[in-house]
């Protein structure tokens, strides 16, 4: 669905890429997948609020939404400086995207959770030092 839009994004024309994807989505207005796919292009064009609307609607419409819908929505919430909602969405995924989850936890000031998320990502191959700054940011 997004082949022309992908090329436009590659060329840096984010506004036209959104126009292309919106036109394609109008052909299948009730397709949750198409709506969720559109969100990717909206975010890249800086339309974070619209991306949230499309993703929330896609999740509502799809009786079995795919994990990546929640992952994208979590990322968009993060970009919208809504880290608590980002964490909630990320926790709905069977295998959370640990880098994104860690970033949201860090933005919330929950460094222990952020470190645990990174440790899961690295599979125990690496140990992070504990933050001991007396409540100051690490």
């Amino acid at each position: 669905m997004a082949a022309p839009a992908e090329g436009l994004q590659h060329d840096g024309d984010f506004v036209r890429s959104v126009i292309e994807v919106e036109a394609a989505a109008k052909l299948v207005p009730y397709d949750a997948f198409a709506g969720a796919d559109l969100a990717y292009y909206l975010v890249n064009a800086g339309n974070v609020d619209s991306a949230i609307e499309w993703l929330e609607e896609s999740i509502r419409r799809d009786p079995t939404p795919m994990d990546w819908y929640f992952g994208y929505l979590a990322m968009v919430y993060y970009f919208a400086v809504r880290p608590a909602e980002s964490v909630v969405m990320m926790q709905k995924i069977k295998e959370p995207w640990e880098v994104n989850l860690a970033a949201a936890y860090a933005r919330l000031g929950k460094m222990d959770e952020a470190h645990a998320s990174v440790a899961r990502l690295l599979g125990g191959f690496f140990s992070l030092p504990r933050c001991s700054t007396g409540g100051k940011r690490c």
Side-chain angles (χ1 to χ4, degrees):
M1 167 175 139
E6 190 69 34
L8 288 166
Q9 279 206 350
H10 183 269
D11 293 340
D13 194 344
F14 299 105
V15 174
R16 280 194 50 218
S17 71
V18 169
I19 292 168
E20 289 291 327
V21 175
E22 285 177 336
K26 285 179 184 177
L27 298 173
V28 286
Y30 302 107
D31 186 326
F33 183 90
D37 195 38
L38 171 60
Y40 170 80
Y41 298 94
L42 289 167
V43 168
N44 288 342
N47 300 335
V48 177
D49 292 333
S50 295
I52 290 170
E53 290 174 21
W54 278 88
L55 282 160
E56 288 175 344
E57 182 65 16
S58 292
I59 289 169
R60 188 188 70 74
R61 285 180 188 256
D62 194 329
T64 55
M66 292 179 266
D67 278 354
W68 68 265
Y69 291 13
F70 297 107
Y72 271 13
L73 185 54
M75 287 184 358
V76 177
Y77 280 146
Y78 180 84
F79 296 143
V81 194
R82 293 164 62 176
E85 290 165 283
S86 178
V87 168
V88 169
M89 284 299 118
M90 202 54 74
Q91 290 173 336
K92 292 184 179 200
I93 300 175
K94 291 176 190 126
E95 294 182 24
W97 302 352
E98 297 294 351
V99 168
N100 302 88
L101 186 57
Y105 277 134
R107 187 170 271 180
L108 289 169
K110 297 182 176 185
M111 298 311 292
D112 287 340
E113 290 90 338
H115 288 168
S117 188
V118 171
R120 285 190 300 274
L121 173 69
L122 298 174
F125 292 114
F126 184 72
S127 178
L128 293 170
R130 286 285 182 227
C131 179
S132 59
T133 61
K136 296 178 184 172
R137 295 192 137 212
C138 298

